[in-house]
Amino acid sequence: MIGGLFIYNHKGEVLISRVYRDDIGRNAVDAFRVNVIHARQQVRSPVTNIARTSFFHVKRSNIWLAAVTKQNVNAAMVFEFLYKMCDVMTAYFGKISEENIKNNFVLIYELLDEILDFGYPQNSETGALKTFITQQGIKGQFQTKEEQSQITSQVTGQIGWRREGIKYRRNELFLDVLESVNLLMSPQGQVLSAHVSGRVVMKSYLSGMPECKFGMNDKIVIDKQGKGGATDDAAKSGKQSIAIDDCTFHQCVRLSKFDSERSISFIPPDGEYELMRYRTTKDIILPFRVIPLVREVGRTKLEVKVVIKSNFKPSLLAQKIEVRIPTPLNTSGVQVICMKGKAKYKASENAIVWKIKRMAGMKESQISAEIELLPTNDKKKWARPPISMNFEVPFAPSGLKVRYLKVFESKLNYSDHDVIKWVRYIGRSGIYETRC
Amino acid sequence: MPAVSKGDGMRGLAVFISDIRNCKSKEAEVKRINKELANIRSKFKGDKALDGYSKKKYVCKLLFIFLLGHDIDFGHMEAVNLLSSNKYTEKQIGYLFISVLVNSNSDLIRLINNAIKNDLASRNPTFMNLALHCIANVGSREMAEAFASEIPRILVAGDSMDSVKQSAALCLLRLNRTSPDLVPMEEWTARVVHLLNDQHLGVVTAATSLIITLAQKSPDDFKTSVSLAVTRLSRIVTSASIDLQDYTYYFVAAPWLSVKLLRLLQCYPPPEDTALRSRLTECLETILNKAQEPPKSKKVQHSNARNAVLLEAIALIIHHDSEPTLLVRACNQLGQFLQHRETNLRYLALESMCTLASSEFSHEAVKTHIETVISALKTERDVSVRQRAVDLLYAMCDRSNARQIVAEMLGYLETADYSIREEIVLKVAILAEKYAVDYTWYVDTILNLIRIAGDHVSEEVWYRVIQIVINRDDVQGYAAKTVFEALQAPACHENLVKVGGYILGEFGNLIAGDPRSSPLVQFNLLHSKFHLCSVPTRALLLSAYIKFINLFPEVKATIQDVLRSDSQLRNADVELQQRAVEYLRLSCIASADILATVLEEMPPFPERESSILAKLKKKKGSGKLPENVNGNAELHAEEPAAANKASPPPPTEVLALNPTPPAAAHSLLVDVFSDLSAPTAVAEDHLSRFVCKNNGVLYESQLLQVGLKSEYRQNLGRIYVFYGNKTSSSFLSFSSWVSSSDVLKTQLNVHAKAVEPVIEGGAQVQQVLNIECVTDFSDVPVLNVQFRYAGTLQNIEVKLPVMLNKFFQPTEMTSQDFFQRWKQLGAPQQEVQKIFKAQHPMETDAAKAKLLGFGVALLEGVDPNPANFVGAGIIHSKSAQVGCLLRLEPNTHAQMYRLTLRTSRDSVSQRLCQLLSEQF
């Protein structure tokens, strides 16, 4: 179990230090600073073992969060907790920065006391936490006895993530499918590795204690239905179904039901939350194709030509496109010509950055650059790092489709049809690289 | 100088550095540096030439980036260009860059060397200095090669500026340190020495440093420097401080130069010339006198400088060791320092006193400070100072104060710092042994030692106490009584159990008369410790038990019961199990007489140097102790003797239970400790193989392989012996030598070169043996190999295949010649004939090969019978050459050979016949 939790700034000064167990000594704080933050070489592993003590760390901008333990804990659990901790802090005071942490340190200690007990993670649902840990100081005198007892029953009860008696005039539901597509492609256009990691994020403003059911084009579900129901239906939807490699759910989803029937049913928390996370590796729609062409002219010149092709419906528009072409370390000058967008040589990053605001599907665009090189002493050859790309497209590259989201509330008088539902798909680039 | 300050400013550099300093994170820093590098690249690439100022600025930036830990792979050319600039600042930055970033890039090195050459020839002192500094900073072999001849010339040139001479001397010093072979000093020696007379004190200081290094290498060449150094020293010491203006440091006249001169004088014995000698004595006296004067300043620098000169002077006095008055004065001066409140000074005083104690003149004077030193031992807060105090106590110890010192050290041991405990233990053990008048005191001391610091008592210490107890009849009873009492303590150290087990096993009978220590009580006492001990100790205790059976028949049944128990007979440890089984059988089968013989009391050990001393020396060698600290007159005398010994006396020998072990328990009883008893194997069977062969494997065991490669020419031979370590751990104190019988020594000279004392696991070392045949011989020399493996000493003896026939030189002759000579050698004692049965298949080719390998020339068509072999050759020895004819007649039907040999000397005939007949 987690023995303690430390937060450091970029210099390694301790901002927050909370020790949960006696086996963690005072020197653990310094051990992490000396061996990780001030380490001579770059720290690659997120888990560091120093003197039989394990340190798990994540970094948010310039802030280090480190969980420390002497026991053999589940590392995935610790990291999940650290991420959750970041989410909670972001929900409370926005961006995690040294300034914000210093300004809210009382709040952070209060949160740490609540979400971790003797090193065991507790309820870390932001919505629930916000009911009893507030930034506005003590509201004791305004809170009625009733409300207090309600909080107690909710926190200790079966559905800790939702309080009772929520009422909305308009019952609304927002569903976002956010995906990031990762790719590594050879110069010849061969896919070396590709996967999509996606999240389904929901914002629910529903009254009472509604029971929801979420359906998507999961291959297993569709196949099962196909067997039971009409065959033509299966044939029609078979093509669109997707194979999900693995998925995780928010705590509100009834896992037993998912295991037996593979249906996703739940009582949603109020407000924004992440319903599920998933990953697919098959039949990915790659939104862009990058075709690089690099020619070395003598020892002092390099010619680069890069073509990008968009590969989706012409009616859709990709946004925020950015292509990053690395340049050799001995570049002394760059001339760039591009038809569309803006391109610039950024010396501080050793790359040519080409930005295009918008681009429709089934189009192509190209850039060419001449790079002048300075002759150097060592014969080391340039390693030719891959060309990377960033973009945003309004569809899910994995092919995931939301089939339905049904809402049942038996006690209150609104039905599935009265709920206003919005669905949005956003596909972003993760690490999207092409070798050159 | 507004213009210069603008040029020096380099605002761009300042901005860049402050940008870097302001970076919040590592990533931001890398970004800023990348940007700057791109900028510099574009500037260097640019078509229009850069002016000196911006070139300097960018090179500076590159240097800064490099010092931040980033790789720089360009800009070298620009830096080299800066070298040829005429502006000092630009040249300086260029040299700085080269000094920091130079690598052995051939084309650039040439350019750099060229620039340096130009500067050295420029006659501009600042430029020359820059160039000299660069050479010294880089100090590579290439630099040394290029300039080693140039710099001495600059150093001694009459027209060189003082500052240039100074730099040249230091530069030469540096080159001399890195590649001494490249710096020829012969022709310059006299003129360099004369630099000591230079008017400029800076030049003298630098030159002294150089001369010290050179004089240490070749003292004879620089002998003349002594008189100059003394003169110079006396001038400094006697001068009023005003004379030296710049070189007076906090009222001390030229302290650095004085210290260096004193060091230089320490390279030589006291000067022979009496005038010079008295002048030096006068100087040293003045320095000692000055130390008595009240300090001229309260500043710490003043006293530091003064004490530095003083301590160096004392070091010189100790080095000369010839002026009793000076030595005593130095000792008194150090005695004052012993109570100084400055810790460093106390440390230095203790350290110097250690060396003083070794001088016969001052030994007594040092002894007067014993109380102070003892109190230092107890009260010092710094462990290193306490360590010096221990060293000094050790050094000042003699018969008169040994008891006091040993008692103090033992007392201190209880509270001593862990890092120095082991050393103190060794020292106490040595002192106790060396100055023991009465051995009961010695036994008490060592047992106390084991009681107080058992963990730090090394094997050698308790081996030694056992050796001494066994060799001294008078203390045996006392020792037995004392260990018996010591063992009664509820918790005693394992080493004490070992000593106790051994001594009671040998001499338990001496105290058995007392009912309080009856045999059974003794046994029960020992056995109560048995289960708490490690395996080697248990093995030793088992040996003690079997000795008890011999000493006290009345406890035989009890001990047999113990040996019979499952925990012994079925012990998981092979060694213990074997001992239990064999001892049990021995006690059951053997009669009392046999037992008494087998388990006889140990005979006295041969007197030899204490192994503890060797251990302490080994520690010193590892750099824990400065070399001259432990000096005691007596100790020093012993040292060469120890060095002559190839290896320290083997500890296992100390413990051999019985010198004449019976065959029944051979390997067990020889040696209590090791299951790998040291076998003395004389391998002979391989020998005959080498009669007709020169190369091959001579000896092989699980540990070691010995291979041979030999070549002979006339009466000389050379054998390469290869020792291969077949194990994964290394052999320690390895040594090998060749021994011959007394007769053989006059006949054959064998010279073995020394080998490395350590053979790493899996490694092979080579030894060269040079052999000269004086006259004919028949014995065979023996190769002795000794080494320590896994704590056990291994002894191997192998006969070395050096036979008479190795010195054969084949001779070709015609049939006529052969028979003529055959007839000449017709005297009966010259011919030897032998008829013998063939041991190998009778094949013509094999026989031919053997005869050729034997060394003779085979003569075809001499003998009428083609099946017979006829050969001729000459044996070369230093005294004579012996002609030799042979005839070998095989008889295939009877499987027999007839061998006939005729030589001019009968002993040769006999020996050759014997050697050759074994081969067929």
Side-chain angles (χ1 to χ4, degrees):
Chain A
M1 295 308 103
I2 296 171
L5 201 131
F6 308 126
I7 301 180
Y8 301 85
N9 68 4
H10 69 106
K11 288 181 202 149
E13 291 163 348
V14 186
L15 303 177
I16 300 283
S17 154
R18 179 76 174 86
V19 175
Y20 292 95
R21 284 171 173 252
D22 293 337
D23 54 358
I24 302 301
R26 287 274 145 222
N27 49 2
V29 195
D30 301 322
F32 182 77
R33 175 180 45 235
V34 171
N35 289 287
V36 181
I37 302 182
H38 292 165
R40 278 176 184 280
Q41 69 279 27
Q42 209 178 358
V43 179
R44 290 176 186 280
S45 164
V47 185
T48 320
N49 258 303
I50 306 160
R52 301 231 215 137
T53 311
S54 309
F55 292 84
F56 304 78
H57 75 261
V58 296
K59 227 184 145 187
R60 284 281 178 276
S61 62
N62 277 330
I63 299 297
W64 300 74
L65 270 93
V68 48
T69 180
K70 279 218 156 169
Q71 280 152 325
N72 185 14
V73 296
N74 180 348
M77 186 276 282
V78 177
F79 282 112
E80 184 62 38
F81 171 78
L82 286 176
Y83 291 136
K84 204 81 208 175
M85 176 77 205
C86 293
D87 290 346
V88 170
M89 287 199 289
T90 319
Y92 267 94
F93 49 76
K95 194 170 169 282
I96 298 176
S97 65
E98 187 177 347
E99 180 94 15
N100 276 345
I101 286 177
K102 278 182 178 164
N103 289 340
N104 292 290
F105 79 93
V106 179
L107 172 74
I108 295 173
Y109 276 116
E110 213 174 326
L111 284 171
L112 283 175
D113 278 343
E114 193 55 44
I115 61 178
L116 213 55
D117 188 7
F118 195 47
Y120 293 93
Q122 306 293 313
N123 191 355
S124 55
E125 196 52 50
T126 320
L129 285 172
K130 276 194 172 165
T131 58
F132 52 90
I133 297 176
T134 57
Q135 279 164 294
Q136 276 75 44
I138 304 162
K139 278 203 323 198
Q141 54 262 57
F142 305 110
Q143 251 171 354
T144 59
K145 269 253 159 53
E146 215 170 86
E147 275 175 321
Q148 280 177 353
S149 68
Q150 199 188 359
I151 289 174
T152 316
S153 71
Q154 183 213 328
V155 169
T156 55
Q158 206 180 9
I159 305 167
W161 56 87
R162 188 177 179 95
R163 72 189 162 91
E164 284 191 55
I166 300 171
K167 274 220 172 70
Y168 287 103
R169 255 177 359 123
R170 225 156 81 113
N171 288 308
E172 241 178 337
L173 228 169
F174 299 88
L175 202 61
D176 287 350
V177 177
L178 306 172
E179 294 195 337
S180 80
V181 53
N182 300 283
L183 168 79
L184 182 63
M185 193 178 249
S186 77
Q188 288 76 32
Q190 197 185 354
V191 175
L192 301 173
S193 87
H195 75 270
V196 171
S197 57
R199 310 189 296 146
V200 178
V201 176
M202 209 164 151
K203 248 186 231 170
S204 63
Y205 303 105
L206 300 172
S207 312
M209 286 297 228
E211 174 85 33
C212 300
K213 209 172 166 196
F214 175 65
M216 56 182 181
N217 56 344
D218 182 2
K219 197 164 188 240
I220 298 174
V221 179
I222 304 273
D223 286 359
K224 208 192 282 173
Q225 283 175 348
K227 250 177 246 157
T231 44
D232 58 322
D233 189 36
K236 204 165 65 186
S237 56
K239 206 179 166 193
Q240 288 162 354
S241 65
I242 61 161
I244 288 174
D245 284 17
D246 47 31
C247 52
T248 55
F249 294 101
H250 188 265
Q251 58 167 334
C252 65
V253 175
R254 292 195 185 87
L255 292 178
S256 56
K257 226 165 186 180
F258 179 74
D259 285 342
S260 57
E261 301 164 29
R262 221 174 156 86
S263 72
I264 303 162
S265 66
F266 54 96
I267 296 170
D270 197 37
E272 187 174 342
Y273 63 98
E274 188 184 281
L275 180 65
M276 74 178 284
R277 242 185 271 180
Y278 59 91
R279 197 168 62 94
T280 70
T281 48
K282 281 201 194 94
D283 300 324
I284 294 165
I285 306 157
L286 297 174
F288 284 96
R289 168 85 205 277
V290 178
I291 304 158
L293 206 82
V294 180
R295 203 159 67 91
E296 283 177 48
V297 188
R299 274 192 67 196
T300 58
K301 209 170 167 189
L302 202 67
E303 281 181 5
V304 182
K305 201 168 124 183
V306 177
V307 181
I308 57 168
K309 281 184 182 168
S310 56
N311 181 28
F312 45 88
K313 269 190 253 168
S315 56
L316 297 176
L317 271 180
Q319 284 182 309
K320 298 178 190 165
I321 301 154
E322 185 185 289
V323 182
R324 181 176 292 264
I325 306 162
T327 55
L329 292 176
N330 55 343
T331 304
S332 61
V334 177
Q335 277 92 48
V336 205
I337 307 160
C338 61
M339 306 316 235
K340 216 174 161 196
K342 278 179 189 159
K344 204 179 164 193
Y345 166 58
K346 286 204 171 162
S348 59
E349 290 154 45
N350 279 323
I352 299 168
V353 179
W354 177 25
K355 283 182 178 165
I356 304 170
K357 278 205 180 108
R358 243 172 252 107
M359 188 166 172
M362 307 314 277
K363 288 259 166 55
E364 77 173 59
S365 183
Q366 84 167 42
I367 182 173
S368 54
E370 268 183 22
I371 301 171
E372 278 181 83
L373 304 175
L374 188 77
T376 58
N377 291 329
D378 33 307
K379 307 283 176 278
K380 256 189 289 170
K381 222 175 152 348
W382 180 43
R384 287 205 182 187
I387 294 172
S388 61
M389 204 179 161
N390 290 318
F391 54 79
E392 205 178 290
V393 288
F395 64 93
S398 68
L400 182 129
K401 291 257 158 42
V402 176
R403 285 170 64 218
Y404 57 81
L405 200 148
K406 292 173 190 153
V407 181
F408 310 99
E409 169 55 270
S410 45
K411 284 182 193 149
L412 296 173
N413 54 352
Y414 72 92
S415 70
D416 187 30
H417 302 290
D418 303 329
V419 181
I420 308 161
K421 299 170 190 166
W422 307 85
V423 180
R424 179 166 68 162
Y425 297 94
I426 299 172
R428 290 202 184 91
S429 58
I431 297 164
Y432 200 86
E433 292 179 332
T434 308
R435 291 192 180 152
C436 59
Chain B
M1 304 191 297
V4 175
S5 69
K6 181 182 166 271
D8 271 350
M10 290 197 281
R11 202 167 153 272
L13 179 68
V15 169
F16 174 58
I17 292 174
S18 74
D19 277 2
I20 295 272
R21 296 253 159 91
N22 288 335
C23 280
K24 277 270 183 336
S25 66
K26 187 128 188 129
E27 291 75 29
E29 187 184 306
V30 170
K31 276 190 172 171
R32 181 70 185 88
I33 285 170
N34 279 337
K35 194 177 155 197
E36 194 59 44
L37 283 176
N39 176 35
I40 298 171
R41 280 195 298 260
S42 66
K43 284 287 192 312
F44 282 174
K45 174 82 181 180
D47 299 326
K48 63 176 173 111
L50 288 172
D51 59 346
Y53 167 77
S54 38
K55 216 181 263 176
K56 176 181 80 173
K57 186 175 75 183
Y58 293 128
V59 167
C60 247
K61 281 182 180 173
L62 284 180
L63 196 56
F64 183 74
I65 292 170
F66 177 78
L67 293 178
L68 282 178
H70 299 262
D71 274 344
I72 296 296
D73 51 4
F74 65 99
H76 299 78
M77 203 56 222
E78 282 71 17
V80 174
N81 286 344
L82 279 179
L83 293 187
S84 50
S85 158
N86 273 328
K87 275 195 189 136
Y88 172 74
T89 51
E90 286 164 23
K91 217 183 241 303
Q92 183 196 28
I93 295 294
Y95 273 122
L96 193 60
F97 188 88
I98 298 298
S99 309
V100 175
L101 264 129
V102 84
N103 48 17
S104 42
N105 189 322
S106 54
D107 41 326
L108 273 182
I109 281 285
R110 224 159 21 83
L111 287 171
I112 294 166
N113 282 357
N114 216 2
I116 292 177
K117 226 165 232 157
N118 286 339
D119 276 343
L120 284 183
S122 71
R123 317 195 56 77
N124 179 335
T126 43
F127 290 179
M128 284 171 93
N129 269 343
L130 279 178
L132 287 169
H133 293 168
C134 180
I135 297 171
N137 275 333
V138 177
S140 65
R141 266 199 97 70
E142 292 82 14
M143 286 278 180
E145 267 164 19
F147 302 107
S149 54
E150 190 95 356
I151 298 167
R153 197 175 308 136
I154 296 173
L155 177 60
V156 297
D159 54 351
S160 295
M161 292 271 288
D162 291 335
S163 62
V164 176
K165 276 189 191 169
Q166 216 169 327
S167 301
L170 293 175
C171 180
L172 207 54
L173 175 62
R174 155 82 194 204
L175 292 185
N176 204 302
R177 279 185 190 147
T178 50
S179 31
D181 50 316
L182 290 177
V183 187
M185 284 312 296
E186 291 76 25
E187 38 182 326
W188 311 107
T189 305
R191 301 175 71 178
V192 169
V193 168
H194 270 277
L195 285 177
L196 286 179
N197 266 341
D198 201 287
Q199 289 165 347
H200 194 260
L201 275 188
V203 177
V204 183
T205 314
T208 315
S209 294
L210 176 64
I211 292 171
I212 290 175
T213 313
L214 293 174
Q216 276 162 353
K217 276 191 192 117
S218 48
D220 291 341
D221 296 348
F222 289 87
K223 247 192 181 119
T224 43
S225 62
V226 173
S227 63
L228 291 177
V230 172
T231 324
R232 177 55 87 171
L233 185 65
S234 81
R235 256 191 284 160
I236 295 170
V237 171
T238 53
S239 72
S241 51
I242 326 120
D243 301 350
L244 304 163
Q245 286 172 2
D246 286 353
Y247 288 85
T248 303
Y249 178 79
Y250 287 91
F251 307 105
V252 182
W256 281 277
L257 181 54
S258 313
V259 165
K260 280 180 181 170
L261 288 170
L262 287 164
R263 274 218 183 127
L264 174 61
L265 290 172
Q266 281 175 50
C267 301
Y268 294 97
E272 316 257 314
D273 179 15
T274 42
L276 198 61
R277 194 165 172 165
S278 63
R279 196 160 180 197
L280 178 57
T281 312
E282 205 178 293
C283 281
L284 293 172
E285 266 170 358
T286 321
I287 294 172
L288 287 173
N289 285 339
K290 274 192 183 166
Q292 295 298 332
E293 290 169 13
K296 286 180 186 146
S297 158
K298 283 234 163 70
K299 290 255 169 61
V300 68
Q301 289 94 330
H302 171 69
S303 59
N304 275 350
R306 211 165 68 150
N307 292 335
V309 177
L310 177 64
L311 284 167
E312 207 55 50
I314 290 175
L316 180 63
I317 293 169
I318 296 169
H319 172 77
H320 284 169
D321 197 11
S322 57
E323 299 278 344
T325 49
L326 281 180
L327 280 165
V328 171
R329 280 194 64 186
C331 183
N332 292 339
Q333 185 61 51
L334 291 177
Q336 285 176 17
F337 283 168
L338 279 185
Q339 279 149 331
H340 205 273
R341 63 192 160 77
E342 186 88 1
T343 312
N344 290 338
L345 213 50
R346 291 199 301 271
Y347 178 96
L348 290 168
L350 285 169
E351 198 179 19
S352 309
M353 266 206 180
C354 276
T355 41
L356 261 184
S358 61
S359 163
E360 49 175 325
F361 300 116
S362 55
H363 188 71
E364 287 304 315
V366 172
K367 269 167 68 182
T368 55
H369 299 290
I370 184 164
E371 294 303 332
T372 326
V373 180
I374 287 170
S375 79
L377 188 64
K378 287 175 181 160
T379 54
E380 278 299 343
R381 286 161 75 193
D382 189 322
V383 63
S384 59
V385 184
R386 290 201 298 267
Q387 159 108 52
R388 292 292 148 252
V390 171
D391 289 342
L392 179 54
L393 279 181
Y394 177 75
M396 67 163 67
C397 190
D398 62 11
R399 219 166 274 284
S400 63
N401 55 13
R403 280 197 178 222
Q404 187 194 2
I405 286 179
V406 167
E408 287 295 345
M409 279 167 109
L410 267 180
Y412 171 62
L413 195 54
E414 295 194 52
T415 52
D417 198 271
Y418 284 98
S419 54
I420 57 172
R421 273 196 183 185
E422 194 185 349
E423 213 180 298
I424 298 181
V425 166
L426 282 175
K427 285 181 170 161
V428 169
I430 291 169
L431 292 178
E433 184 190 331
K434 203 154 139 193
Y435 300 115
V437 195
D438 137 27
Y439 278 90
T440 56
W441 173 71
Y442 172 72
V443 171
D444 279 344
T445 307
I446 299 293
L447 288 182
N448 247 333
L449 196 63
I450 296 175
R451 186 177 56 75
I452 294 169
D455 286 337
H456 301 277
V457 173
S458 56
E459 305 272 280
E460 285 85 352
V461 173
W462 71 266
Y463 289 164
R464 191 68 191 155
V465 69
I466 283 174
Q467 277 183 354
I468 285 176
V469 168
I470 285 179
N471 287 7
R472 303 262 161 192
D473 302 343
D474 44 336
V475 285
Q476 287 165 356
Y478 179 77
K481 189 159 159 274
T482 324
V483 290
F484 178 75
E485 277 160 12
L487 278 175
Q488 276 169 331
C492 51
H493 193 269
E494 198 168 327
N495 278 341
L496 188 64
V497 178
K498 287 181 186 167
V499 177
Y502 198 95
I503 290 184
L504 289 182
E506 293 291 331
F507 311 113
N509 54 338
L510 298 178
I511 56 166
D514 192 332
R516 279 168 300 171
S517 55
S518 69
L520 197 60
V521 176
Q522 283 186 33
F523 171 73
N524 285 338
L525 181 61
L526 276 185
H527 198 58
S528 68
K529 314 282 181 200
F530 186 87
H531 301 282
L532 304 170
C533 296
S534 62
V535 171
T537 313
R538 288 186 190 193
L540 188 144
L541 283 179
L542 285 180
S543 296
Y545 294 172
I546 187 77
K547 290 227 153 190
F548 269 0
I549 291 185
N550 175 40
L551 291 178
F552 320 114
E554 63 264 38
V555 294
K556 185 171 176 178
T558 323
I559 293 177
Q560 279 179 337
D561 281 347
V562 169
L563 290 177
R564 205 174 283 131
S565 69
D566 273 359
S567 60
Q568 308 298 349
L569 274 190
R570 298 193 182 165
N571 198 301
D573 190 87
V574 179
E575 174 70 26
L576 291 182
Q577 196 187 62
Q578 193 179 359
R579 278 183 196 229
V581 171
E582 291 186 6
Y583 289 162
L584 185 61
R585 292 305 294 159
L586 185 69
S587 68
C588 294
I589 294 168
S591 69
D593 286 350
I594 294 179
L595 267 184
T597 322
V598 171
L599 303 167
E600 204 186 354
E601 195 177 296
M602 290 295 293
F605 289 94
E607 280 302 330
R608 57 156 81 92
E609 192 210 352
S610 163
S611 52
I612 313 174
L613 215 55
K615 165 120 182 178
L616 187 67
K617 268 177 215 149
K618 216 162 83 190
K619 280 197 84 163
K620 264 199 286 180
S622 68
K624 261 192 132 176
L625 276 170
E627 248 178 285
N628 49 359
V629 171
N630 282 300
N632 178 312
E634 284 169 72
L635 239 171
H636 274 306
E638 269 178 73
E639 255 168 352
N644 286 343
K645 275 199 183 258
S647 60
T652 45
E653 268 178 62
V654 177
L655 285 173
L657 263 183
N658 198 315
T660 51
H666 181 281
S667 70
L668 263 174
L669 288 178
V670 178
D671 183 333
V672 184
F673 261 113
S674 61
D675 42 354
L676 270 172
S677 65
T680 310
V682 181
E684 199 162 4
D685 51 333
H686 286 62
L687 194 64
S688 62
R689 288 211 327 242
F690 282 88
V691 171
C692 299
K693 233 169 70 171
N694 280 339
N695 306 329
V697 174
L698 182 63
Y699 170 83
E700 184 153 18
S701 72
Q702 286 179 322
L703 306 177
L704 180 76
Q705 187 184 43
V706 182
L708 276 193
K709 216 174 136 184
S710 36
E711 37 190 54
Y712 294 89
R713 258 186 60 215
Q714 303 205 327
N715 69 327
L716 298 176
R718 175 170 293 169
I719 302 184
Y720 299 95
V721 190
F722 299 94
Y723 303 97
N725 181 349
K726 291 168 72 177
T727 64
S728 54
S729 48
S730 44
F731 293 158
L732 301 174
S733 42
F734 184 92
S735 65
S736 67
W737 66 97
V738 176
S739 58
S740 323
S741 63
D742 291 340
V743 185
L744 188 60
K745 268 181 195 156
T746 60
Q747 297 166 337
L748 191 73
N749 287 334
V750 182
H751 174 73
K753 293 201 172 150
V755 273
E756 296 271 328
V758 176
I759 305 184
E760 303 290 348
Q764 193 181 31
V765 297
Q766 176 191 323
Q767 187 181 29
V768 182
L769 309 176
N770 287 320
I771 296 168
E772 186 188 24
C773 176
V774 180
T775 177
D776 61 300
F777 60 97
S778 53
D779 266 0
V780 181
V782 176
L783 178 70
N784 299 275
V785 182
Q786 194 180 59
F787 58 90
R788 192 180 293 277
Y789 170 70
T792 348
L793 196 77
Q794 306 280 336
N795 258 320
I796 295 158
E797 288 181 13
V798 193
K799 286 198 171 174
L800 202 59
V802 180
M803 279 78 81
L804 189 54
N805 67 301
K806 298 289 179 194
F807 303 95
F808 245 127
Q809 201 80 0
T811 26
E812 294 286 346
M813 52 180 76
T814 61
S815 159
Q816 202 183 352
D817 280 343
F818 183 82
F819 283 112
Q820 194 186 348
R821 286 176 200 226
W822 185 264
K823 277 175 197 138
Q824 279 172 2
L825 297 168
Q829 71 271 22
Q830 288 176 331
E831 184 189 288
V832 175
Q833 193 171 64
K834 194 174 181 184
I835 300 169
F836 55 92
K837 212 171 168 58
Q839 283 158 346
H840 301 282
M842 297 174 77
E843 281 161 325
T844 318
D845 289 341
K848 267 188 189 170
K850 277 181 184 171
L851 283 174
L852 284 174
F854 194 65
V856 292
L858 271 181
L859 305 178
E860 301 282 342
V862 173
D863 201 292
N865 182 352
N868 291 353
F869 303 101
V870 170
I874 298 169
I875 292 204
H876 289 263
S877 68
K878 202 179 169 190
S879 57
Q881 300 192 346
V882 182
C884 173
L885 305 175
L886 73 82
R887 187 175 187 201
L888 183 72
E889 299 158 76
N891 181 343
T892 35
H893 292 295
Q895 293 283 307
M896 301 283 265
Y897 282 107
R898 183 166 71 184
L899 176 67
T900 316
L901 269 158
R902 284 188 180 189
T903 69
S904 51
R905 207 177 275 192
D906 49 354
S907 54
V908 175
S909 306
Q910 298 278 355
R911 176 67 179 152
L912 287 181
C913 179
Q914 185 195 347
L915 283 172
L916 193 56
S917 59
E918 286 164 6
Q919 296 299 314
F920 290 95

